[in-house]
Amino acid sequence: MSIQQEIKSQLAKLLATEDLIVEHKQVETASFNVETRVLVLPLWEKASSEVYDMLVAHEVGHALFTPCEDWLDRYPEIPPSFVNVVEDARIEKLMKRRYEGIAKTFYKGYTELHKEDFFSVKKKDISKLSLADRINLFFKIGSHYKILFTDFEQTLVDRVAACETFQDVLEVSEDIYKYCM
């Protein structure tokens, strides 16, 4: 393991305040398994230290704040991708609250990913994307785009921003999914 990988592994463990298992693999993006407590970081050639810090902070957010519960039994109609969009916004907000300096890390990391067109949006009309996709982009790279929402959609965006608990996440995810259908 390179020194850089070891540093990011230690950062993850320190932020999470637990001895997570951190793996560095050839994967498309970072992930965290709330059950096995394994955080996976991608081996990207071009990504800066800021991007890796942002990925660590994001996945540690899941380690700290995403419960290990089988919510699909209670909400079988909601696709996990909808819940993930809302949960991502919630855990990043909570990480920024817990570690105040980390807001700059998220900004720099997402700015770099945006410049590399990681989200594949530079040649797309964002207004034609689904509400869930626009919400995801709003909370990740919204400072780089004017993402428009109808008045009703904006109430859902505001509810996403207000999520404090995982139950809040499930409730607004269900409403977003119903709206999209």
Side-chain angles (χ1 to χ4, degrees):
M1 180 182 292
S2 75
I3 292 174
Q4 181 73 1
Q5 289 173 339
E6 183 60 31
I7 290 169
K8 298 310 176 191
S9 296
Q10 290 303 316
L11 175 63
K13 293 174 183 187
L14 287 169
L15 291 174
T17 66
E18 71 175 279
D19 193 18
L20 300 173
I21 297 168
V22 181
E23 298 176 348
H24 301 265
K25 294 182 172 182
Q26 289 292 341
V27 292
E28 286 188 35
T29 192
S31 63
F32 181 73
N33 185 312
V34 295
E35 194 172 314
T36 63
R37 312 306 287 171
V38 175
L39 189 156
V40 176
L41 292 171
L43 294 170
W44 291 339
E45 291 179 25
K46 293 183 179 180
S48 70
S49 186
E50 278 97 6
V51 167
Y52 277 101
D53 288 347
M54 185 264 310
L55 292 172
V56 166
H58 178 92
E59 299 309 330
V60 165
H62 286 297
L64 291 171
F65 304 114
T66 302
C68 183
E69 67 176 67
D70 192 6
W71 57 269
L72 281 169
D73 290 341
R74 292 183 292 134
Y75 293 87
E77 68 283 352
I78 309 173
S81 60
F82 281 72
V83 175
N84 191 57
V85 165
V86 178
E87 179 65 348
D88 280 357
R90 180 181 83 95
I91 60 108
E92 288 187 5
K93 174 182 76 175
L94 295 176
M95 286 297 287
K96 291 172 188 174
R97 187 182 297 157
R98 183 172 183 146
Y99 300 105
E100 292 182 13
I102 222 159
K104 187 182 278 187
T105 301
F106 279 110
Y107 179 79
K108 287 180 178 179
Y110 281 130
T111 297
E112 183 176 324
L113 290 180
H114 168 62
K115 285 180 183 174
E116 296 294 324
D117 201 22
F118 178 82
F119 298 100
S120 303
V121 295
K122 286 190 177 178
K123 294 181 182 179
K124 289 184 181 173
D125 181 354
I126 292 176
S127 67
K128 295 195 177 175
L129 297 176
S130 73
L131 176 60
D133 286 339
R134 286 183 287 132
I135 288 172
N136 189 43
L137 292 171
F138 177 80
F139 284 99
K140 289 184 169 42
I141 58 171
S143 60
H144 300 287
Y145 285 103
K146 175 75 174 155
I147 300 174
L148 301 175
F149 300 99
T150 67
D151 289 343
F152 179 74
E153 289 172 344
Q154 187 61 54
T155 66
L156 294 171
V157 173
D158 294 343
R159 285 180 57 205
V160 171
C163 284
E164 292 292 330
T165 68
F166 192 67
Q167 185 60 41
D168 296 340
V169 168
L170 293 173
E171 290 169 6
V172 74
S173 297
E174 181 177 39
D175 291 343
I176 292 168
Y177 178 65
K178 285 178 182 175
Y179 174 81
C180 288
M181 296 313 294

